[in-house]
Amino acid sequence: MVDEKQNRDKKADDEERHQPEREVEEVRNRASEEEQKHGDPSAQLGDLDEALETQSYPTTTNELVEAYGDYEIETQGGTNSLEEVLASTDDQTYDSANDVRRRILGLIHR
């Protein structure tokens, strides 16, 4: 009986000592998941990312939809076309590919 109690006490002590390690690992895992979710913009935008670099600026939302509306983008809800992503946006003017990326990423991370 005494051996069983000692084993339980030792196991409880071991668990207590390892708790901070598990908490640190859990925080790392959450950070990694967050990074994967938001990840590299070019990964989420796929081929559109490269196309935006070749676009002439300034350009408008309507011009982007006309030129690239069928391009697929990874969103939180799955894959949507650029036209679907920008549907809720008024016709805006963008001065660079980075402006367009920021707008698209802002819309898909709502």
Side-chain angles (χ1 to χ4, degrees):
M1 284 294 244
V2 173
D3 284 342
E4 277 184 42
K5 181 168 179 5
Q6 286 175 342
N7 285 339
R8 280 191 304 242
D9 289 344
K10 183 180 181 323
K11 187 174 182 180
D13 288 344
D14 287 347
E15 289 291 319
E16 235 175 82
R17 274 195 304 267
H18 291 292
Q19 185 61 31
E21 293 170 11
R22 281 192 291 272
E23 289 172 2
V24 167
E25 184 176 341
E26 188 176 314
V27 168
R28 280 189 194 132
N29 288 340
R30 274 193 303 244
S32 176
E33 288 170 10
E34 223 18 62
E35 187 176 299
Q36 287 174 355
K37 188 191 314 182
H38 297 292
D40 175 18
S42 62
Q44 288 179 287
L45 300 182
D47 293 338
L48 176 61
D49 188 63
E50 191 173 314
L52 293 175
E53 288 297 326
T54 63
Q55 174 68 28
S56 296
Y57 294 94
T59 191
T60 65
T61 304
N62 290 341
E63 291 170 335
L64 290 169
V65 168
E66 187 177 313
Y68 311 111
D70 292 336
Y71 277 72
E72 296 293 316
I73 299 170
E74 291 297 320
T75 68
Q76 291 178 341
T79 303
N80 291 347
S81 69
L82 177 63
E83 183 173 17
E84 292 169 324
V85 171
L86 293 177
S88 65
T89 305
D90 293 331
D91 192 25
Q92 297 180 15
T93 300
Y94 304 94
D95 293 323
S96 69
N98 284 335
D99 286 348
V100 178
R101 281 188 201 96
R102 277 193 293 274
R103 181 65 178 145
I104 293 169
L105 293 173
L107 289 168
I108 65 176
H109 289 293
R110 285 188 189 181

